[in-house]
């Protein structure tokens, strides 16, 4: 795999600079969703158990290299202390951290103030990275979701210290490797969502690696239109027709079976409970919009899932936010969840709307792994090298 974990490091008596993602939502000075904070607990716990002192490094919002008091990490302290069950000491400036005060030496867990207050962070300034590294003995990156950016605290610092992946990073890397680098085949991908144009790199990479590719959601309309099918008033990128044909040709060349909708659910309004009907894809009325895949398409997808051993899913199959156009997404998700639960399928999903859709479908718990890493997940699926991960391998 090529990276070290906390198990490989000597932590006793060491300061462990630990990059975490605790960029949590806050309202009226209070954390409203502590999920990200809860997910760093295993890493912090294991560092403490190994005899090390975690020095947490994190960003919060977009202060753009300046001190913005509203974006102080102080607001996260109560939630951090609750999740970790210990006091957390905030160090407000790098100078204070360098002075290594009595208070800091006595503390269990340290938290550096918002690292993006420093212009050197996002610029990945080598001097800044070195200065940061000098604050500790070991570097642990537990922020996969920030590792598609080459910043000082995600990339530069790793060149100066013995480095390893934290528990959350480790789980994410293991799940993504299992799904894409050495998957049990057949490997199936479901790519849905609104537009082809936002997922071109994803489609191009997957089409050469997967055995079956389901195209769903609004982007399926673009593929259908590219075959000369009239999609009426559906969301469709007509200027992407050539690209869609190229992706289909690439699929044929690499032996990837492409599954497009066979029947669809159409409506005249984009509205909850709008009157709707099921038609063959060739029969979409000119004044209607395709808002979901139909039952025949869903059965087709479920049969493919039955054959697959690994599933990668990004993008809903329909306009899942408005019932009943969440039907296909829910049904496919439930089927994948059932197969995962019984150990027949390794299922990995990610993407902002995808995570919301799978939660809504009550399927998330049973999926093998749900990535909440957003952009970093997508870049990995696009086959890109993530600088923060590459730095750990070095
Ligand atoms: P993710 O955030 O998981 O990567 P996307 O942002 O690409 O997913 O796509 C999600 C959006 O696609 C949702 O808002 C959903 O309503 C929309 N969508 C899916 N199918 C259709 C459709 N047939 N017509 C219009 N919008 C659709
Ligand atoms: Mg989205």
């Amino acid at each position: 795999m090529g990276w070290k974990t906390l198990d490989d490091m000597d932590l006793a008596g060491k300061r462990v600079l630990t990059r975490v993602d605790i960029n949590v939502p806050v309202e009226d000075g209070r954390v409203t969703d502590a999920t990200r904070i809860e997910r760093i607990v295993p890493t912090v716990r294991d560092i403490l158990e190994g005899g090390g002192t975690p020095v947490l490094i994190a960003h919060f919002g977009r202060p753009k290299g300046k001190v913005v008091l509203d974006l102080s990490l102080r607001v996260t302290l109560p939630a951090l202390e609750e999740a970790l069950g210990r006091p957390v000491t905030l160090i407000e400036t790098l100078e204070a951290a360098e002075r290594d005060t009595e208070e800091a030496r006595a503390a269990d867990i340290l938290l550096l103030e918002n690292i993006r207050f420093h212009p050197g962070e996002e610029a990945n300034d080598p001097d800044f990275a070195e200065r940061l590294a000098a604050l500790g003995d070991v570097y642990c990156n537990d922020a996969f979701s920030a590792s598609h950016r080459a910043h000082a605290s995600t990339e530069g610092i790793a060149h100066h210290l013995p480095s390893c992946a934290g528990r959350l990073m480790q789980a994410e890397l293991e799940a993504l490797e299992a799904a894409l680098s050495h998957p049990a085949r057949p490997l199936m991908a479901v790519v849905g969502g609104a537009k082809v144009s936002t997922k071109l790199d994803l489609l191009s990479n997957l089409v050469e690696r997967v055995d079956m590719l389901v195209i769903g959601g609004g982007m399926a309309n673009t593929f259908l239109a590219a075959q000369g099918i009239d999609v009426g008033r559906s969301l469709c990128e007509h200027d992407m027709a050539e690209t869609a044909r190229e992706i289909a040709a690439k699929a044929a060349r690499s032996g990837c079976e492409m599954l497009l909708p066979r029947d669809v659910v159409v409506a005249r309004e984009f509205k909850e409970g709008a009157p709707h009907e099921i038609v063959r894809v060739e029969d979409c009325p000119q004044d209607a919009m395709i808002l979901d895949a139909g039952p025949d398409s869903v059965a087709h997808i479920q049969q493919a899932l039955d054959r697959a051993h690994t599933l990668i899913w990004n993008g809903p199959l329909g306009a899942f936010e408005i019932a009943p156009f969440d039907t296909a997404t829910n049904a496919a998700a439930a089927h994948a969840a059932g197969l995962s639960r019984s150990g027949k399928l390794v299922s990995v999903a990610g993407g902002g709307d995808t995570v919301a859709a799978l939660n809504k479908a009550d399927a998330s718990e049973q999926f093998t792994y749900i990535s909440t890493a957003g952009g970093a997940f997508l870049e990995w699926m696009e086959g890109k090298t993530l600088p923060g991960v590459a730095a750990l391998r070095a």
Side-chain angles (χ1 to χ4, degrees):
M1 302 228 168
W3 57 79
K4 295 198 167 82
T5 70
L6 286 169
D7 302 317
D8 303 308
M9 314 305 279
D10 175 17
L11 303 172
K14 304 279 169 67
R15 285 249 168 122
V16 185
L17 300 175
T18 308
R19 180 59 160 100
V20 292
D21 180 0
I22 51 169
N23 193 21
V24 288
V26 165
E27 250 170 64
D28 300 326
R30 295 190 45 184
V31 173
T32 54
D33 178 355
T35 308
R36 282 181 164 163
I37 287 176
E38 284 151 16
R39 295 188 84 187
I40 71 166
V41 172
T43 294
V44 174
R45 184 198 56 210
D46 287 357
I47 293 170
L48 289 167
E49 276 179 13
T53 303
V55 182
L56 306 179
I57 306 178
H59 72 279
F60 185 51
R62 297 175 183 274
K64 302 235 153 92
K66 289 195 193 68
V67 176
V68 178
L69 289 178
D70 282 347
L71 295 177
S72 167
L73 276 168
R74 185 173 291 283
V75 70
T76 65
L77 285 177
L80 272 171
E81 292 185 335
E82 192 187 329
L84 297 169
R86 300 211 193 198
V88 177
T89 305
L90 181 74
I91 310 283
E92 290 188 23
T93 62
L94 277 196
E95 290 74 17
E98 282 161 350
R99 269 199 307 276
D100 196 18
T101 58
E102 198 71 40
E103 189 202 10
R105 260 177 288 144
D108 281 356
I109 303 169
L110 299 165
L111 168 67
L112 286 191
E113 181 57 290
N114 194 343
I115 199 69
R116 289 193 186 163
F117 283 179
H118 305 275
E121 163 65 0
E122 289 182 78
N124 198 9
D125 175 61
D127 293 336
F128 180 70
E130 208 177 334
R131 202 176 155 199
L132 211 52
L135 298 174
D137 312 296
V138 172
Y139 171 63
C140 171
N141 187 351
D142 208 27
F144 178 82
S145 52
S147 294
H148 57 316
R149 312 255 184 256
H151 292 168
S153 70
T154 58
E155 203 275 340
I157 186 173
H159 299 291
H160 299 283
L161 289 173
S163 302
C164 71
R167 297 302 183 204
L168 184 55
M169 169 76 101
Q170 187 184 341
E172 186 100 26
L173 291 176
E174 280 166 7
L176 299 190
E177 288 259 302
L180 209 54
S181 305
H182 39 78
R185 292 188 182 266
L187 168 59
M188 171 173 172
V190 172
V191 181
K195 292 176 169 185
V196 173
S197 54
T198 59
K199 298 200 175 164
L200 264 183
D201 290 343
L202 179 69
L203 289 167
S204 300
N205 185 44
L206 290 180
V207 92
E208 289 191 327
R209 288 165 175 260
V210 307
D211 305 301
M212 296 179 271
L213 174 62
V214 172
I215 310 257
M219 72 163 66
N221 303 336
T222 302
F223 279 84
L224 294 171
Q227 295 180 357
I229 290 171
D230 185 350
V231 296
R233 287 174 43 236
S234 302
L235 174 67
C236 178
E237 294 168 286
H238 291 285
D239 57 341
M240 284 280 140
E242 191 49 46
T243 306
R245 282 190 291 269
E246 278 165 21
I247 291 168
K250 209 168 161 186
R253 276 201 305 276
S254 44
C256 165
E257 181 190 344
M258 232 170 82
L259 285 77
L260 281 170
R262 297 171 162 187
D263 60 344
V264 287
V265 182
V266 300
R268 267 85 185 168
E269 289 169 282
F270 191 90
K271 195 175 104 188
E272 178 108 19
H276 55 277
E277 59 196 292
I278 296 160
V279 296
R280 308 297 305 164
V281 285
E282 303 81 29
D283 301 327
C284 175
Q286 287 212 321
D287 62 342
M289 294 176 276
I290 299 171
L291 292 182
D292 198 12
D296 194 16
S297 307
V298 171
H300 194 204
I301 294 170
Q302 290 175 335
Q303 283 156 19
L305 284 168
D306 288 336
R307 282 184 280 140
H309 285 124
T310 308
L311 168 70
I312 296 166
W313 187 335
N314 170 257
L317 297 176
F320 77 99
E321 299 95 336
I322 48 171
F325 308 107
D326 56 350
T327 306
T329 303
N330 291 344
H335 199 76
L339 291 167
S340 309
R341 192 175 46 228
S342 54
K344 292 184 187 133
L345 185 71
V346 171
S347 51
V348 174
D353 291 292
T354 309
V355 174
L358 295 181
N359 282 339
K360 194 166 174 254
D362 250 334
S364 307
E365 293 284 304
Q366 287 119 52
F367 266 60
T368 313
Y369 193 79
I370 303 267
S371 172
T372 51
F377 169 82
L378 273 182
E379 290 199 20
W380 181 289
M381 290 299 159
E382 289 166 355
K384 293 184 180 148
T385 302
L386 276 50
V389 175
L392 288 184
R393 288 184 202 267

